[in-house]
Amino acid sequence: MTFPRLALLLLPAVFGAGAAHADPEAYRVTGLAPGEPMSIRAEPDAAAEVVGEIRRRALVFGCTNDTPSRTTWCRVSVGRTVGWARRRYLTPD
């Protein structure tokens, strides 16, 4: 079994039971200054710890606006980094 296939099979365990779930879709970063990466955060909150960056593309596994700020966040995976990113900067690829 290849690593990408294994990673997709393990995603439910990584995301946990309460996270937004959907079939993965490829999205690209838009709406930021050229060369500026988008932060991946540990929780769907602008004040949460930054756990990584998205420079070009990410796999998105569902979005939710069920957050205290009512801002829409998406559960994302980039390489081995999994976290949350703002929906407003993600466009379907």
Side-chain angles (χ1 to χ4, degrees):
M1 182 175 292
T2 64
F3 178 74
R5 180 172 276 212
L6 178 60
L8 287 175
L9 292 174
L10 295 176
L11 282 172
V14 172
F15 287 139
H21 287 81
D23 290 332
E25 294 183 52
Y27 279 69
R28 59 184 150 77
V29 176
T30 58
L32 296 172
E36 182 180 346
M38 184 169 71
S39 296
I40 300 173
R41 301 199 176 265
E43 300 290 330
D45 184 325
E49 173 189 3
V50 174
V51 295
E53 298 179 335
I54 302 172
R55 294 204 173 267
R56 292 187 182 95
R57 291 189 177 88
L59 286 179
V60 173
F61 295 87
C63 300
T64 181
N65 64 357
D66 188 19
T67 62
S69 66
R70 290 293 185 229
T71 301
T72 302
W73 290 82
C74 299
R75 195 74 164 141
V76 300
S77 173
V78 177
R80 293 183 179 187
T81 303
V82 176
W84 293 89
R86 289 283 310 274
R87 171 64 180 96
R88 71 182 286 182
Y89 300 111
L90 296 169
T91 301
D93 204 15

